């Protein structure tokens, strides 16, 4: 029985508007080649990564443009691990990024040391070329080298870019799901 049935959300007029799934996988190696160069996060390219983020997420549900100050706060959070993060370049142009995180206090609850694929973005012009897979493969390798035990990520299950299929194809499995509901008010 789903929670929708148990709690009667649908019978009360609440409709699903967003489903976020958290996926997990072990850190077994992934061999992924990309037609572009994958490099460690370069702080000097943070503004290019912000612009790539805004372009890559322009059509995502609930996404808004992130300004430079907010991006700086995000990349400067204690949990953000730029040393475990990656950028993709086609020549010298940044075409994707994978900004990762680690939350050390979670280990007491989960019994794992999870590396989070925090935000992965690839420009629409460069999607379906293996760039996202290659950055995830590099992330998994860096998580393993840092002594972490699992890779975790969150994804909109209705993501129009095919991200859910990408992650499933890389061995990520469902860990949890959060469903947001709405109701039309008169």
């Amino acid at each position: 029985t789903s929670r929708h049935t148990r709690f009667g959300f649908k019978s009360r007029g609440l409709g699903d508007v967003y489903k976020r799934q958290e996926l997990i996988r072990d850190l077994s190696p992934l061999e992924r080649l990309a037609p572009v160069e994958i490099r460690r996060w370069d702080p000097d390219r943070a503004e290019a990564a912000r612009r790539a983020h805004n372009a890559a997420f322009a059509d995502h549900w609930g996404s808004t443009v992130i300004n430079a100050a907010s991006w700086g706060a995000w990349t400067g959070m204690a949990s953000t691990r730029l040393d475990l993060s990656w950028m993709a370049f086609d020549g010298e142009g940044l075409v994707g990024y994978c900004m990762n995180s680690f939350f050390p206090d979670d280990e007491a609850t989960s019994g794992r040391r999870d590396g989070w694929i925090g935000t992965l973005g690839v420009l629409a012009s460069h999607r379906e070329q293996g760039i996202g897979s290659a950055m995830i493969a590099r992330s998994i390798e860096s998580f393993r080298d840092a002594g972490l035990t699992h890779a975790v990520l969150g994804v909109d299950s209705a993501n129009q870019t095919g991200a859910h299929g990408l992650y499933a194809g890389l061995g990520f499995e469902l860990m949890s799901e959060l469903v947001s509901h709405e109701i039309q008010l008169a």
Side-chain angles (χ1 to χ4, degrees), residues 72-106:
W74 194 7
T75 59
M77 291 174 61
S79 59
T80 301
R81 293 289 303 268
L82 298 180
D83 61 317
L84 304 176
S85 299
W86 299 89
M87 294 177 162
F89 294 89
D90 190 356
E92 283 304 307
L94 190 139
V95 298
Y97 70 96
C98 185
M99 186 169 37
N100 298 321
S101 300
F102 174 63
F103 302 91
D105 293 341
D106 287 356

Side-chain angles (χ1 to χ4, degrees), residues 39-51:
R39 301 181 204 158
R40 286 221 179 259
W41 187 275
D42 180 353
D44 293 336
R45 298 294 189 97
E47 176 57 19
R50 182 187 72 82
R51 287 191 311 269

Side-chain angles (χ1 to χ4, degrees), residues 33-42 45 48-49 52 85-99 119-123 125-127 129-136 138-139:
L33 301 176
V36 299
E37 186 178 358
I38 308 297
R39 301 181 204 158
R40 286 221 179 259
W41 187 275
D42 180 353
R45 298 294 189 97
S85 299
W86 299 89
M87 294 177 162
F89 294 89
D90 190 356
E92 283 304 307
L94 190 139
V95 298
Y97 70 96
C98 185
M99 186 169 37
T119 308
L120 173 70
V122 176
L123 298 179
S125 60
H126 286 74
R127 290 184 185 143
Q129 298 179 26
I131 296 168
S133 297
M135 287 189 291
I136 290 172
R138 289 287 185 92
S139 296

Side-chain angles (χ1 to χ4, degrees), residues 51-75:
R51 287 191 311 269
H53 172 83
N54 286 333
F57 284 85
D59 296 333
H60 282 59
W61 183 90
S63 183
T64 59
V65 172
I66 295 181
N67 64 32
S70 295
W71 185 257
W74 194 7
T75 59

